[in-house]
Amino acid sequence: MAVPKKRTGKSAQAKRRANWKATTPATTTCKNCGAVVLTHTVCPECGTYKGKVASIKGQAMLETKEEEKEVKKSKKVKEEAPETKAEETKAETETAEKPKRTRKTKKAETETEAKEEE
């Protein structure tokens, strides 16, 4: 078994390790959601790979998107009917305006009481 004859100094050790450089991993953006993803991996946000669903998370996302579309369609149908009702109620309120309420001052109240007594 090979055993070093002398201990390696700190500077020699540091010089040797100076070339151990870390590299940044290659990343891309997901075509589906726009999140930053490592290359050649499934997107952790939406679960797609190369535009196709590749995980359970991605499958769940597709189902929720479909449900949202259905909800939006039903909201559009519901919104159309209340618009006509809202227009009718606006027309009714415009025709029957309420009289404005005014406050009487104490002087005005005493004057009206004095006139009533006479």
Side-chain angles (χ1 to χ4, degrees), residues 52-68:
K52 297 179 182 177
V53 177
S55 69
I56 296 170
K57 190 173 190 176
Q59 192 69 20
M61 294 266 299
L62 281 176
E63 291 173 0
T64 55
K65 284 183 181 180
E66 290 174 1
E67 290 173 1
E68 289 174 0

Side-chain angles (χ1 to χ4, degrees), residues 99-114:
K100 292 184 179 180
R101 298 175 72 186
T102 58
R103 284 192 169 176
K104 295 182 179 179
T105 60
K106 289 184 179 180
K107 290 180 181 179
E109 288 178 7
T110 56
E111 290 175 5
T112 53
E113 290 174 7

